[in-house]
Amino acid sequence: MRIYADNASTTKMSRAAIDAMLPYLAEQFGNPSSPYALGQAAKNALETAREDIAAVLGAAPREIYFTSGGTEADNQALRSAAAQGKRAGKTHIVSTAFEHHAVLRTLEALRSEGFAVTLLPVDETGLVEPEALASAIREDTCLVSVMAANNEIGTLQPVDELADICRRRGVVFHTDAVQAVGHVELDMRALGADMLSASAHKFHGPKGAGFLYVRKGRMPESLLLGGAQERGRRAGTENVAGAVAMAAALRECAEHREADSRRLTALRDRLTEGLSSIPHGILNGDAQRRLPGNVNFSFEGVEGEALLLLLDEKGISASAGSACAAGSLQPSHVLLALGRAPELARGALRLTLGEDATAQEIDYMIRAVRDAVETLRAHSPAWQERMSGRAAFLL
Ligand code: PLP
């Protein structure tokens, strides 16, 4: 059995997205900036994609700016609000310690450029307390950035409440919704965020395509110098095929979201229940307030990377945390932010289900993880010490 359980890392492109993009890689290859018919056909396709994406999100087409993905959208959102804040004499930014590195690294850079950054604490399940945000906002705060859904533990933040606090205090609110778009209901009319980042490859679109939503009345600032594409806000010839495929993928996700979400939630809960029977393991994140397909456990006495290799041998593609951290044996910064001990933050297993997951696959994964954990513990001197009573268990 081969099971792909790493959908938070990337998803398989949908047939609809592939079919939608092929003509724009083949005969419809024009440059949207060209005035003749071939160019204008590409331009029309790009604008239709923008309209379709806006319609799914309850936004206006002019509020959607195409980017190369989530990383660029996050960078552009933060850099734009920071530059605009600085011009108004405001140089304080609020975010959280468990954001994606696309946000955290940009914040580090802004800090070195003179901005003050407050990282809000999160509770044990990864939730930001709205009160903590309210008290962190200062007179000179120009931006708050809190992710909609965490990429490691799937925690869904109360973004509408957080956005509301920011609106009342006159502070720009950005949310990295890369893991949420296509998977949970997001309506910009209700959400109240000023900016939102998304990435196509997380919802069955192609890699290298994404967008930044920017509410009417605000303008993103260009990160790149060059042509006047995207109304002068994002230089560079547009990825027409990518945008068209992204729109097709998002439309399809929106059509099936409710049914997919119900089914995935039931499978996720079955997986959580099965893995909970493994002793000295713990679910990371809130049991219910998380993405429909996300399960994340830490197992005491187990190295995440070793667990992944054993699972791969059993046909399961999984992750030890975020893909960007893979290969480095660093403990997950997300799990450390929740207060997990470094050993547990290194022994995490993230299983993220795709819409085609089945109950049989879930049961197979439960057995495979249980066997792999037992095997690794049998070879772990630290685990043997705990079993013999010479050292204390963490959990
Ligand atoms: N933000 C979050 C929450 C993510 O999960 C990711 C990708 O893993 C990104 C940003 C970066 O997106 P991209 O891969 O499109 O650059």
Side-chain angles (χ1 to χ4, degrees):
M1 198 182 278
R2 197 72 241 169
I3 303 173
Y4 183 71
D6 199 15
N7 284 273
S9 165
T10 196
T11 58
K12 182 168 146 189
M13 272 184 80
S14 67
R15 194 65 247 171
I18 295 172
D19 289 345
M21 97 187 286
L22 287 178
Y24 296 93
L25 296 172
E27 63 277 11
Q28 297 287 357
F29 61 88
N31 185 327
S33 299
S34 302
Y36 43 80
L38 189 66
Q40 289 309 295
K43 170 98 184 136
N44 290 341
L46 193 68
E47 294 316 315
T48 305
R50 199 186 309 277
E51 283 163 21
D52 289 352
I53 290 169
V56 170
L57 289 177
R62 287 174 67 85
E63 294 174 318
I64 305 296
Y65 296 83
F66 291 122
T67 66
S68 64
T71 300
E72 186 187 334
D74 283 341
N75 274 257
Q76 191 172 16
L78 269 57
R79 288 244 163 234
S80 298
Q84 288 156 6
K86 193 169 182 177
R87 289 199 287 275
K90 296 183 172 196
T91 54
H92 176 235
I93 301 172
V94 180
S95 188
T96 77
F98 81 164
E99 297 296 310
H100 189 269
H101 284 121
V103 167
L104 289 179
R105 294 269 150 80
T106 307
L107 290 175
E108 273 170 32
L110 288 169
R111 195 181 255 145
S112 72
E113 292 164 28
F115 285 84
V117 177
T118 301
L119 295 181
L120 297 173
V122 286
D123 72 11
E124 213 212 339
T125 62
L127 273 174
V128 172
E129 289 285 341
E131 296 74 32
L133 170 61
S135 48
I137 293 176
R138 314 190 312 210
E139 277 300 301
D140 63 342
T141 305
C142 59
L143 167 69
V144 171
S145 180
V146 178
M147 70 200 319
N150 184 269
N151 47 305
E152 293 191 29
I153 58 172
T155 305
L156 298 170
Q157 297 294 345
V159 269
D160 44 354
E161 269 183 76
L162 303 178
D164 196 46
I165 292 170
C166 291
R167 198 177 42 247
R168 280 188 275 115
R169 304 281 292 273
V171 177
V172 175
F173 180 74
H174 164 252
T175 186
D176 174 344
V178 165
Q179 292 288 338
V181 171
H183 303 289
V184 296
E185 160 124 60
L186 286 173
D187 186 323
M188 298 318 297
R189 286 162 299 208
L191 198 61
D194 298 299
M195 294 191 280
L196 174 144
S197 307
S199 176
H201 75 101
K202 306 293 186 177
F203 53 82
H204 305 287
K207 292 164 187 63
F211 63 88
L212 177 64
Y213 160 91
V214 182
R215 190 173 290 283
K216 193 164 146 264
R218 300 196 174 279
M219 279 293 201
E221 308 221 343
S222 196
L223 292 177
L224 306 170
L225 302 178
Q229 290 89 354
E230 298 295 285
R231 288 182 284 128
R233 303 293 153 174
R234 202 277 181 175
T237 302
E238 302 88 338
N239 175 2
V240 179
V244 168
M246 171 160 64
L250 188 59
R251 274 199 317 266
E252 192 172 53
C253 281
E255 271 166 38
H256 303 152
R257 186 173 48 232
E258 271 184 43
D260 283 345
S261 173
R262 260 196 309 278
R263 225 175 62 77
L264 271 184
T265 302
L267 291 174
R268 175 199 74 191
D269 292 347
R270 184 183 180 119
L271 182 55
T272 303
E273 201 186 311
L275 297 182
S276 299
S277 67
I278 300 173
H280 302 281
I282 189 164
L283 176 71
N284 294 312
D286 191 83
Q288 292 304 319
R289 200 174 172 137
R290 67 195 299 142
L291 286 167
N294 175 295
V295 172
N296 186 315
F297 268 81
S298 288
F299 298 106
E300 188 171 346
V302 169
E303 278 287 348
E305 298 286 327
L307 183 54
L308 291 193
L309 291 177
L310 279 190
L311 291 179
D312 193 24
E313 280 174 15
K314 293 170 192 280
I316 300 169
S317 306
S319 163
S322 65
C324 319
S328 65
L329 272 173
Q330 296 300 313
S332 143
H333 70 286
V334 171
L335 298 182
L336 291 179
L338 302 192
R340 290 273 182 266
E343 178 187 317
L344 294 174
R346 261 193 302 270
L349 171 68
R350 179 184 73 180
L351 296 164
T352 45
L353 312 176
E355 287 78 3
D356 53 357
T358 64
Q360 287 84 336
E361 289 177 349
I362 299 295
D363 295 343
Y364 176 81
M365 284 197 278
I366 295 168
R367 286 196 302 276
V369 174
R370 192 182 292 131
D371 291 350
V373 167
E374 274 173 20
T375 305
L376 292 173
R377 284 176 173 169
H379 292 98
S380 156
W383 181 257
Q384 299 308 327
E385 284 211 330
R386 286 170 205 176
M387 289 300 281
S388 65
R390 277 178 279 128
F393 284 105
L394 296 172
L395 293 170

